[in-house]
Amino acid sequence: MTDLARYCPSCHTERAIHEVSCEGLVNGNQCNWQLLEVPITPAGWRPTVVIPVEPTRAGTLPVALVCTNGHALDVGDFLCSVCGAEASAGSEGTGTEEPVPSTSSETVIAGWRVLRQVSSSAGRRDRYLVEDEVGERRGMLTLYHHGWEPDATVYDALRRVSLEHVPQILATGRWEDRAYEVAEELTGGTLADLGVVATDSAGVRRIAYELGKALDALAEVGLRHRDIRPGTLLVRNRDPVDLVIGGFGSARLSEYDLDIVSPLEVTRYTAPETVAGGVAAASDWWSLGIVLLEQVTGGRCFEGIEQQAFLIHVLANGVPIPPDVPRDVALLLRGLLARDRHKRWKWTEVQAWLDGQSPEAPEAGVEKAGGAEGPVLTLGGKHFRTLSSYALAAAGADAWDEARDQLVRGVVTDWVQSKGAPAKQVASLRRIVKDPTVTDDWRLLVALKVLNPVSSVNQGERSASIKVRSSAWAGGWRA
């Protein structure tokens, strides 16, 4: 019988099929890549390696670096360490090149020659500059790893969206059992490459119009992008800035206002309901708000703040808008960054704002029960004043064990009571601590649900959040 295994796409090691999360070591730390969606293959299987070969000029390829006797040399070697011979006159690095026909050493995917790798996100996706076999057109090929591939129906929807808002998709399919897509080459890079280009009202209006129209076009075909951030906003033109939306690996089609689905990635641009395990029609508009906040503040809104800490603060208290932000821009940000997705601005309100109107926007909410006043509880060396911020921090892997100990010893319950929380909430925590039918880990898991405020997300989203965290914990990692 053939031995079976899973090949971890993150640390590139072969794992036993009983491992739920990868137990391989990366720089002395456990990899923890989730293996449940990684296919089981015969032991010894490895993914096909993509070999890029970039032409140095039309019709030529660099010749391998070898000595006159054919032994391989390293870059910078003039003498062979094997036989002492000099480098071949036609070798790469000697300043000469020879016409070389296309060989089997290069990778061709569905008629597209791989020229060079552009970027790689470990275990998620790899991007390559490619050229069609006749050399008439270039494109950008994204090769997805297992568990990160897009929904195939997304491409059908994208074909109904104007190329004014998205790049042209030239090809899609599967290669070596991995999904791929080829999109038109946009040489302007991304908004992340450009950096800060909108520090005043005029600049913010330009980006709000460009991306607002694009998000509205996606909404018309029922598409939720789920990963709006500077790295997925592509630049067609730099002056004036012309942006289109790319990076549809996380996108999903939906006809509903809210779907319960765990995000592939959580970033500082992720909407609160998405962090909690749901995706709504308004989620991408929140991400646009964070992008604009970063632009108008020149990135100062993130200075010295770790991503997890930022998300904890956002979920507990909302996003603070600096007082020096222009008044009209502050109104736009309040509308886009409303924690209640039902009150969050979308294209109708953004368009009215662009026309000089002042649509209604909610003020930043303040948590009342168990609020910022009164006693603090220390966890992981940090002081927490609100129940929700503590609960979100406790769900992290680094703080889990300490929080579990605090709950079991009654520290959490006493703190919640001293904060003046409702008697029903305190009683629920006491019942959880005394329940003999569950483990301490499950006690903490349920306690976090009790501590999470209803104001941050609705009850269905809270349930989804706990479901995601419990599944994650059962799979060997903790939120």
Side-chain angles (χ1 to χ4, degrees):
M1 181 177 176
T2 303
D3 291 334
L4 300 176
R6 285 189 172 101
Y7 182 77
C8 177
S10 180
C11 68
H12 306 292
T13 60
E14 190 171 86
R15 314 308 310 169
I17 60 175
H18 65 76
E19 291 186 23
V20 176
S21 59
C22 179
E23 299 175 8
L25 296 179
V26 180
N27 298 325
N29 299 314
Q30 190 164 306
C31 173
N32 282 332
W33 184 266
Q34 293 300 294
L35 298 174
L36 291 178
E37 295 188 11
V38 175
I40 297 175
T41 54
W45 176 89
R46 295 293 184 272
T48 302
V49 177
V50 175
I51 304 176
V53 181
E54 183 173 19
T56 55
R57 69 170 183 257
T60 67
L61 294 173
V63 182
L65 186 61
V66 295
C67 75
T68 54
N69 293 322
H71 298 128
L73 301 180
D74 292 328
V75 175
D77 287 349
F78 294 97
L79 296 177
C80 178
S81 60
V82 177
C83 65
E86 295 182 353
S88 170
S91 294
E92 180 186 274
T94 63
T96 62
E97 289 174 343
E98 300 175 358
V100 178
S102 176
T103 68
S104 60
S105 63
E106 62 183 346
T107 301
V108 179
I109 299 177
W112 294 87
R113 296 175 57 244
V114 177
L115 301 181
R116 64 179 173 85
Q117 187 167 23
V118 175
S119 64
S120 179
S121 181
R124 300 177 183 180
R125 64 187 75 84
D126 306 302
R127 291 194 171 96
Y128 302 88
L129 179 66
V130 295
E131 182 180 68
D132 63 20
E133 290 185 291
V134 296
E136 293 182 351
R137 186 170 193 177
R138 287 189 172 188
M140 194 63 62
L141 181 141
T142 302
L143 194 59
Y144 294 94
H145 289 262
H146 292 286
W148 291 84
E149 58 193 58
D151 186 340
T153 60
V154 165
Y155 296 116
D156 295 330
L158 284 176
R159 292 186 182 95
R160 306 200 306 271
V161 178
S162 169
L163 296 182
E164 179 185 356
H165 307 305
V166 296
Q168 183 180 5
I169 303 298
L170 303 175
T172 61
R174 302 193 73 82
W175 179 79
E176 296 293 337
D177 200 32
R178 289 174 64 182
Y180 72 83
E181 69 180 48
V182 180
E184 66 171 303
E185 180 191 16
L186 295 175
T187 58
T190 67
L191 184 59
D193 300 324
L194 287 185
V196 177
V197 295
T199 57
D200 55 14
S201 295
V204 169
R205 285 178 178 276
R206 175 73 185 179
I207 294 181
Y209 174 78
E210 287 278 314
L211 299 180
K213 286 274 290 181
L215 288 180
D216 186 52
L218 297 184
E220 286 184 1
V221 297
L223 201 57
R224 316 279 192 256
H225 187 279
R226 301 204 305 160
D227 192 25
I228 297 294
R229 52 186 171 84
T232 60
L233 303 177
L234 309 179
V235 181
R236 277 199 190 277
N237 187 53
R238 294 196 172 207
D239 189 18
V241 175
D242 182 5
L243 301 174
V244 297
I245 297 178
F248 287 90
S250 298
R252 292 292 182 270
L253 286 175
S254 176
E255 298 177 354
Y256 304 102
D257 176 63
L258 178 70
D259 285 320
I260 304 303
V261 54
S262 58
L264 292 180
E265 292 182 87
V266 173
T267 70
R268 59 194 182 191
Y269 306 94
T270 303
E273 64 273 4
T274 304
V275 175
V279 58
S283 299
D284 290 336
W285 293 92
W286 170 282
S287 301
L288 172 59
I290 297 293
V291 169
L292 293 175
L293 175 65
E294 182 178 29
Q295 286 286 315
V296 77
T297 62
R300 295 189 307 276
C301 57
F302 296 137
E303 283 182 357
I305 303 177
E306 187 216 0
Q307 175 173 294
Q308 185 182 18
F310 178 79
L311 291 173
I312 289 172
H313 181 82
V314 166
L315 289 171
N317 306 303
V319 179
I321 300 174
D324 58 344
V325 170
R327 245 174 133 179
D328 59 333
V329 176
L331 174 63
L332 172 67
L333 294 176
R334 280 171 38 214
L336 292 174
L337 298 176
R339 282 194 295 167
D340 185 342
R341 71 177 194 279
H342 299 293
K343 298 179 180 178
R344 193 175 304 154
W345 284 13
K346 295 190 278 294
W347 178 239
T348 300
E349 292 80 12
V350 171
Q351 187 175 34
W353 178 84
L354 289 168
D355 290 338
Q357 302 176 37
S358 300
E360 183 179 353
E363 297 291 340
V366 178
E367 187 178 10
K368 298 197 187 218
E373 302 298 326
V376 301
L377 183 57
T378 302
L379 178 66
K382 298 179 181 179
H383 300 303
F384 294 92
R385 295 183 178 277
T386 65
L387 308 188
S388 58
S389 62
Y390 174 87
L392 292 162
D398 295 339
W400 183 273
D401 292 339
E402 183 183 354
R404 180 186 58 203
D405 179 65
Q406 290 179 341
L407 178 71
V408 172
R409 291 190 294 110
V411 174
V412 174
T413 305
D414 291 343
W415 174 64
V416 171
Q417 186 172 21
S418 68
K419 296 286 290 180
K424 184 177 180 180
Q425 194 173 24
V426 176
S428 295
L429 288 173
R430 294 195 188 283
R431 284 197 300 271
I432 292 167
V433 173
K434 295 179 180 179
D435 190 341
T437 64
V438 295
T439 65
D440 290 346
D441 284 300
W442 280 101
R443 286 191 182 95
L444 178 57
L445 191 67
V446 179
L448 296 185
K449 179 178 178 180
V450 173
L451 293 176
N452 248 346
V454 178
S455 59
S456 64
V457 285
N458 67 28
Q459 184 65 36
E461 289 161 344
R462 290 174 65 220
S463 299
S465 173
I466 296 302
K467 180 179 180 181
V468 170
R469 295 182 189 279
S470 63
S471 298
W473 173 78
W477 61 286
R478 298 175 179 131

